[in-house]
Amino acid sequence: MVRQAVFERYKDETYTRGIRIYTTLSARHQEAAYTALRRGVHEYDRRHGYRGPEGYAELPPKLNDEVLEEALQDVSDNDDLLAAVVTEASPKLVKVYRRGGESLEISEEGLRFAARMLGDKVNANQRIRRGAIVRIQQDDKGRWQITQLPAVESALVSVDPRDGAIRALVGGFDFNRNQYNHVTQALRQPGSSFKPFIYSAALEKGFTAATIINDAPLTFSSTQTGSEPWEPKNYDGKFEGPMRLRTALVKSKNLVSVRILQAISPQYAQDYISRFGFDPKMHPPYLTMALGAGNVTPMQMAQAYSVFANGGYRVPPYFIDRVEDNRGNVLLQAKPQRAGDGADRVIDGRNAFIMQSIMRDVVRMGTAARAMKLGRGDLAGKTGTTNDFIDAWFCGFNSSLVAVAWIGFDQPQTLGRNETGGTAALPIWMGYMGPALKGVPETPVTPPPGVVALRVSPETGMRITDGEGGVVDYFYQEFVPPEGGSANPLGNGERPAEEVRNQLF
């Protein structure tokens, strides 16, 4: 990426002027991201079983190193996933030769993953037999095991939300195998990880974190959707009835998201998301937008989530800090737009604060609760899972770092039942954020001016002014919930209150 960007500017002089390029990337962060992505992809791959050898070499009866090296000549090692050729195989013991002259014996635990492809009953073109080309890897205890190259792809990018500096970027499982940069080039459906932008739009329209919305079935005709008739479902297939907006995002309730989008209108939401840097053309103004049916890149998601993390400013990501010639003269110096100093304010700071607060609950007790293992109280984020488990996401942040992890196949196909954002993508994000934030103190988030904290009933969303009980939530001072009635979003002349109420319920 860096080389391409510099070549675009300096053409052939890139290679003749002796220039030095200083990037915003941190070696420590990049290493943590690379390790986390490969481990997460590998764990996913192991959950779905061994697919068999990569190929077969015709081996003569008498073997020597030259013959075995030739068998491996078209197969390259992939970091710690080493290519090897099988010289002898039985269900209990496999002997392999790896490049450089080393012969190894693999048995017991080392064969467990590949066990179903051992033995005479297995189809010959899938069996581990003499001449099979396999992958071997050492486990944490240094024991060799048979493994495989994952078929799935993944991406991880992190940025500093204060100025857009990219700290780590891993565009795929292995650059030598696939040069496609999934961070910047892969347009994929974000699924539920897009919901925070719809909820943020709703806050702007007078909804609150305590507005009660019904989690109940809905059916739409083909005219309403712009394509097929549609009956959206929740992930777990259950409906829980009326609930607060905050609870609905924490539990990632699809039906509530659709009702919210219906109330604020898809056209309003399509215009609103452009504030975060999204291209409205990639998000047609239909109700399916509520469930993330548009297209985004992981880089766009990182920029968009930065708006929540930094209090409401859009900061364009950048990765070249400066360029010097061979004498140390500065040829190019980045001048990033900083949150609160040069960057455009695109959403109200109060909106960013309330959305942060809801997404901290996603981590504390929602679909990303596993992230609490990192032992921090300042993490917020949202999982994303698309229809048929085709894409899995986790987008998460604190005030100093935003990171987005995605996993999916290049030719879209299901990742498998229950391979949600919380199962497949969140562990990659955690594997990076743990080391990246090690030693970084937690930053307390304080409400900006114009936000009030009030006690409300968790069932009705109404304000409690006497006695004990209820839960504390945050509100715009001009949109506080009533003490005895029900909150009436959009009942301010923009659309008939009754019409909106019918949609919410």
Side-chain angles (χ1 to χ4, degrees), residues 108-437:
E108 295 176 355
E109 198 62 34
L111 297 178
R112 177 174 293 201
F113 178 56
R116 70 192 194 94
M117 295 303 180
L118 285 161
D120 296 337
K121 291 179 183 163
V122 184
N123 193 328
N125 61 4
Q126 286 185 302
R127 189 162 72 229
I128 295 175
R129 55 181 166 84
R130 194 171 188 269
I133 306 296
V134 296
R135 294 281 161 177
I136 58 170
Q137 182 186 39
Q138 282 182 297
D139 65 16
D140 297 339
K141 293 177 180 164
R143 295 173 303 201
W144 288 101
Q145 55 186 343
I146 291 181
T147 182
Q148 67 189 353
L149 280 178
V152 77
E153 269 297 352
S154 183
L156 178 65
V157 59
S158 71
V159 300
D160 184 330
R162 296 164 294 194
D163 65 357
I166 294 174
R167 293 291 177 231
L169 186 151
V170 185
F173 182 77
D174 177 54
F175 179 77
N176 293 315
R177 195 171 60 138
N178 185 348
Q179 280 89 52
Y180 189 69
N181 186 343
H182 296 83
V183 167
T184 57
Q185 295 176 289
L187 281 162
R188 306 291 294 217
Q189 290 192 331
S192 313
S193 62
F194 200 72
K195 287 176 184 171
F197 307 106
I198 305 299
Y199 282 61
S200 170
L203 293 182
E204 224 35 44
K205 279 285 201 179
F207 280 72
T208 76
T211 300
I212 298 292
I213 301 144
N214 200 7
D215 176 32
L218 280 170
T219 311
F220 299 98
S221 68
S222 50
T223 317
Q224 288 172 293
T225 63
S227 59
E228 305 283 309
W230 183 47
E231 194 177 338
K233 298 269 192 294
N234 285 325
Y235 168 68
D236 58 6
K238 295 175 188 161
F239 303 103
E240 293 185 47
M243 63 174 62
R244 287 177 300 141
L245 179 142
R246 173 183 290 269
T247 309
L249 188 58
V250 169
K251 292 185 171 185
S252 201
K253 289 291 188 178
N254 290 342
L255 275 299
V256 172
S257 302
V258 174
R259 279 189 166 82
I260 289 171
L261 182 58
Q262 199 176 19
I264 65 174
S265 92
Q267 290 73 20
Y268 175 77
Q270 184 191 36
D271 179 59
Y272 184 84
I273 61 168
S274 65
R275 302 183 188 198
F276 296 87
F278 293 117
D279 177 357
K281 291 196 295 293
M282 289 290 180
H283 302 270
Y286 297 116
L287 293 172
T288 47
M289 192 206 290
L291 310 185
N295 285 297
V296 298
T297 65
M299 184 73 94
Q300 288 171 356
M301 292 297 270
Q303 178 178 348
Y305 271 79
S306 294
V307 176
F308 293 133
N310 67 26
Y313 298 91
R314 187 165 73 225
V315 288
Y318 72 106
F319 54 89
I320 294 175
D321 180 48
R322 71 183 187 280
V323 178
E324 294 178 359
D325 67 14
N326 59 356
R327 292 192 184 87
N329 300 314
V330 176
L331 304 175
L332 178 78
Q333 176 69 58
K335 295 182 176 66
Q337 299 168 22
R338 296 178 188 280
D341 179 19
D344 293 338
R345 174 174 281 291
V346 291
I347 65 170
D348 191 319
R350 301 175 300 172
N351 187 312
F353 171 79
I354 290 170
M355 289 308 301
Q356 269 186 40
S357 158
I358 297 174
M359 285 190 274
R360 275 201 304 278
D361 278 355
V362 172
V363 171
R364 282 195 195 119
M365 55 198 178
T367 53
R370 157 188 309 205
M372 288 304 285
K373 286 183 185 158
L374 293 178
R376 297 183 69 97
D378 62 346
L379 299 175
K382 182 73 189 75
T383 50
T385 311
T386 63
N387 272 353
D388 300 322
F389 306 96
I390 285 169
D391 295 272
W393 297 78
F394 188 72
C395 309
F397 60 91
N398 71 0
S399 58
S400 65
L401 196 62
V402 173
V404 171
W406 164 85
I407 185 169
F409 288 95
D410 276 345
Q411 296 302 317
Q413 66 184 70
T414 183
L415 288 163
R417 185 108 193 104
N418 299 326
E419 290 289 357
T420 61
T423 302
L426 179 59
I428 297 172
W429 184 89
M430 289 171 62
Y432 163 70
M433 280 302 244
L437 292 176

Side-chain angles (χ1 to χ4, degrees), residues 49-77:
Y50 187 60
R51 295 182 296 278
E54 288 176 32
Y56 297 92
E58 286 297 329
L59 297 182
K62 281 202 162 185
L63 296 177
N64 57 41
D65 285 9
E66 196 179 330
V67 167
L68 295 168
E69 287 290 334
E70 197 178 318
L72 293 168
Q73 69 180 6
D74 295 332
V75 199
S76 52
D77 291 342

